[in-house]
Amino acid sequence: MRKIVFALFAFLLLFSRWSNAQSDTSFIKDDFKPSILNQPGQDYPQVNSQRYVRFRIYAPQAQSVKATLGGSQGTMLTPSKDGFWVGTTADPVDEGFHYYHLIVDGGVFNDPGTLNFYGSTRWESGIEVPAHDQEFYALKDVPHGHVVQILFPSKSTNSIRRAFVYLPPDYDENHSERYPVLYLQHGWGEDETAWVNQGRVNLIMDNLIAEGKVRPFIIVMTYGMTNDVKIGQLKDFDIKPFETVLVNELIPYIDEHFHTIADQKHRAMAGLSMGSMETKMITLSNVDKFSYIGLFSGASISLDDVSKIPDFKDKIKLVFVSYGSKEIDWLVRLGKEFTGGDPRKNVEDLKNAGINAVLYVSPNTAHEFLTWRRSLKEFAMLLFKQ
Amino acid sequence: MRKIVFALFAFLLLFSRWSNAQSDTSFIKDDFKPSILNQPGQDYPQVNSQRYVRFRIYAPQAQSVKATLGGSQGTMLTPSKDGFWVGTTADPVDEGFHYYHLIVDGGVFNDPGTLNFYGSTRWESGIEVPAHDQEFYALKDVPHGHVVQILFPSKSTNSIRRAFVYLPPDYDENHSERYPVLYLQHGWGEDETAWVNQGRVNLIMDNLIAEGKVRPFIIVMTYGMTNDVKIGQLKDFDIKPFETVLVNELIPYIDEHFHTIADQKHRAMAGLSMGSMETKMITLSNVDKFSYIGLFSGASISLDDVSKIPDFKDKIKLVFVSYGSKEIDWLVRLGKEFTGGDPRKNVEDLKNAGINAVLYVSPNTAHEFLTWRRSLKEFAMLLFKQ
């Protein structure tokens, strides 16, 4: 069954990119601006105030150029006499971050105009569509925390593994202070770079801390696809190798090297999509190690799950479940066997059983990073306050 | 004149990629292996034991595909029936790291098989050719330092700027310990990511520290093209904006946030190519702030330079000058007005004047990262020992 779950998360991820509404013929305003994720000096891709995206690619002898963003078919570009291929999405694109790539004469290439982001087990082109609430993840003139790349030894996988550690702005100065820790997982096909690069988690935290809306804490992000499965091999995914890395190797390393409060009450875990499934599996097996659980766009915890763990209600201070409003139909259709059931019902059931469960729905977003940036923000504000 | 200098460094960088020897017809062994810089699961590009590089690109409807690595013309790929374009460099490629890109039907794209590295003011494809001495920059089972991304405020440029900070392995544990600092600059068209991604500076340091060959110190790397010049606008480059960021803003930030020894005796600066020119300019104007000077593949300091600074000999504990054996002819040809003169003569002159000057020549490398990895290693072993 678990095999099917991971295949479905891969499908969800791919389907989410095709899920924008079909074309209409509304007037497209000529106020296009370069995406903030463009490479230095690159004018394209661009986004307008209506969230249409325009591409411009130089390939004078190409036979066909397509961008995979925009509608269910992507956006076919048309050649111009100066050697550029140009095109605009048929519809507005959701607010927030999107992956895409080009198909040039049948081959998969990235848009040379943009920065790349690791998703779908490859470095993909990325674009940012300004969101009405983008201030919460903007780079502002506030004190900034650090993002630390660590290389930690893993005996169980016989490797040296990488993780990124967010340290809040006052970490360096307050040597007597110790901090709670959130372990935060990416989705299928992504890696430990995703929450900083695509999720802007450090900027979200810097802004929340500057506004006094969260208790400062450390965030640890490492690679969750421990057996390095390819897209066709997801059925081989097994949680145990990653659980061992995280619980037996990474947590002790973090507690040794950083100023943590190294107990269950001050440790949380969360993840998006496949990462939510990993979070559910690992936290339910380790209620003595984690107090707070965040499940974004995927798993939820049912009363049935809880009934198997006698001290769940005592140990777990929060079950936070979220999704984008545009993806709830899928999640419900997937049903109990895949995600643990309808997240709305599960959260209600947990609440009625006296468990602190919270449901958050990101408006007008699908299985994509704006859902997860918002989820992280909402979740962070609830953490470590008991 | 300074305008010409920076234009020349850009030229050097581009020329260095065309400088491999022309084709011969020696037998090419069939022991190709994927480059260690390939994206997860990608089999191509590959390198064989003779340092030939083989490319394989899927683009079934393309008219022409070329890789810019290999010989003065790059490597033209030829189509096969399965939709792939394949080709092998006409000659062996130098040991170490190389940038390249593809030209697909006249357009510039990256090889979807490899990771990208920022160079030439764009994210380029990268490949690693195993070097006979690669152990010194290999990822090994030794204690690893951390690489910290910081965001620091810069009033002079009205921006929040990024830097990376290498902290030695024992930094977290030894709170009473304080460390010297090296400020380390990238070359033209690169950025603050270059020394870690292309240079593997953290691994070089981890290995040297594990072997007891260096005194542990902090390394700070930030963006040195402060006015964001494009390739056609190098003539607008001016050192003052960057000098202000580095000396007046970054150094105070580092000394405030990290456990540094915040004095001239424990501060060094080095850089590669354009970064060596920046290092020369900034250190000669600030001998009260830096004790150690590292100039890799570019500038050197002449007796004439020194004669203008009365306390140079007292203040400066080391002038380290290096280059790759394959690029010395250029450097000499460029002459005094561009690089400060023949580095060999300059180092001899400084030595004869009683200044601690060291010349290092990287064998069989050109204007490329293996020269700079080796230079950094040699330089590091001489630092902060007085």
Side-chain angles (χ1 to χ4, degrees), chain B residues 13 185-191 194-195 225 271-276 369:
Chain B
L13 181 138
Q185 289 309 123
H186 57 82
W188 179 87
E190 296 168 345
D191 70 8
W195 268 106
M225 295 172 72
L272 71 89
S273 193
M274 187 192 77
S276 73
F369 253 101

Side-chain angles (χ1 to χ4, degrees), chain B residues 9-259:
Chain B
F9 277 108
F11 175 75
L12 255 183
L13 181 138
L14 295 172
F15 185 73
S16 69
R17 304 193 192 177
W18 302 331
S19 68
N20 290 301
Q22 284 303 300
S23 156
D24 65 34
T25 54
S26 67
F27 180 68
I28 298 176
K29 287 187 187 168
D30 194 20
D31 58 357
F32 285 87
K33 290 177 187 163
S35 158
I36 63 163
L37 300 183
N38 285 4
Q39 293 194 28
Q42 295 296 315
D43 290 332
Y44 284 84
Q46 299 191 340
V47 187
N48 82 350
S49 61
Q50 300 161 303
R51 297 183 279 107
Y52 286 85
V53 173
R54 182 164 288 171
F55 305 96
R56 187 167 181 263
I57 305 295
Y58 186 71
Q61 285 98 47
Q63 307 301 298
S64 72
V65 180
K66 185 172 108 168
T68 58
L69 189 71
S72 58
Q73 302 296 317
T75 303
M76 289 302 305
L77 309 190
T78 54
S80 61
K81 285 185 180 168
D82 57 3
F84 286 92
W85 291 72
V86 294
T88 304
T89 54
D91 304 286
V93 172
D94 283 356
E95 295 182 335
F97 173 87
H98 303 278
Y99 298 105
Y100 72 101
H101 56 258
L102 303 177
I103 300 183
V104 180
D105 286 348
V108 171
F109 297 96
N110 283 331
D111 185 337
T114 70
L115 298 175
N116 297 331
F117 299 83
Y118 196 71
S120 303
T121 72
R122 68 181 298 272
W123 286 86
E124 287 261 292
S125 300
I127 191 167
E128 186 76 33
V129 177
H132 70 282
D133 58 345
Q134 63 185 344
E135 282 298 304
F136 83 85
Y137 54 82
L139 175 64
K140 295 182 186 177
D141 189 13
V142 298
H144 291 284
H146 298 160
V147 177
V148 183
Q149 176 192 281
I150 64 168
L151 297 170
F152 67 98
S154 165
K155 284 189 181 169
S156 71
T157 60
N158 192 30
S159 64
I160 297 158
R161 308 187 69 82
R162 185 169 71 162
F164 291 97
V165 181
Y166 169 79
L167 301 175
D170 53 354
Y171 183 90
D172 288 320
E173 283 104 75
N174 292 348
H175 284 307
S176 55
E177 186 76 15
R178 303 189 78 85
Y179 299 86
V181 185
L182 165 63
Y183 291 82
L184 184 62
Q185 289 309 123
H186 57 82
W188 179 87
E190 296 168 345
D191 70 8
E192 65 273 23
T193 62
W195 268 106
V196 171
N197 289 354
Q198 290 95 300
R200 300 170 75 93
V201 66
N202 53 323
L203 302 181
I204 294 171
M205 288 296 294
D206 292 343
N207 291 335
L208 287 172
I209 291 169
E211 293 171 25
K213 289 183 176 170
V214 296
R215 172 175 175 179
F217 56 85
I218 293 168
I219 302 179
V220 179
M221 298 153 279
T222 197
Y223 187 55
M225 295 172 72
T226 303
N227 41 7
D228 283 337
V229 285
K230 293 185 187 176
I231 192 164
Q233 301 168 339
L234 272 177
K235 57 183 170 51
D236 299 327
F237 197 94
D238 171 16
I239 192 66
K240 203 65 198 174
F242 177 56
E243 183 175 346
T244 304
V245 168
L246 185 79
V247 174
N248 300 351
E249 296 172 342
L250 181 55
I251 289 178
Y253 182 94
I254 294 295
D255 286 336
E256 186 186 335
H257 286 80
F258 295 93
H259 306 156

Side-chain angles (χ1 to χ4, degrees), chain A residues 9-22:
Chain A
F9 277 108
F11 174 75
L12 255 183
L13 181 136
L14 294 171
F15 185 74
S16 69
R17 303 193 192 176
W18 302 331
S19 68
N20 290 300
Q22 283 303 301

Side-chain angles (χ1 to χ4, degrees), chain A residues 66-126:
Chain A
K66 185 173 109 169
T68 58
L69 189 70
S72 58
Q73 302 296 316
T75 303
M76 289 302 304
L77 310 190
T78 54
S80 61
K81 285 185 179 168
D82 57 2
F84 286 91
W85 291 71
V86 294
T88 304
T89 54
D91 304 287
V93 172
D94 283 356
E95 295 183 335
F97 173 87
H98 303 277
Y99 298 105
Y100 71 100
H101 56 258
L102 303 177
I103 300 183
V104 180
D105 287 347
V108 172
F109 298 95
N110 284 331
D111 186 336
T114 71
L115 297 175
N116 297 330
F117 300 84
Y118 197 71
S120 303
T121 73
R122 68 182 299 271
W123 286 86
E124 287 261 291
S125 300

Side-chain angles (χ1 to χ4, degrees), chain B residues 292-306:
Chain B
Y292 299 82
I293 303 172
L295 307 169
F296 311 158
S297 290
S300 61
I301 291 174
S302 67
L303 263 189
D304 187 48
D305 293 324
V306 167

Side-chain angles (χ1 to χ4, degrees), chain A residues 230-249:
Chain A
K230 293 185 188 177
I231 192 164
Q233 301 169 340
L234 273 177
K235 57 183 171 51
D236 299 327
F237 197 94
D238 171 16
I239 192 66
K240 203 64 198 174
F242 178 56
E243 183 175 346
T244 304
V245 168
L246 185 79
V247 174
N248 299 351
E249 296 172 341

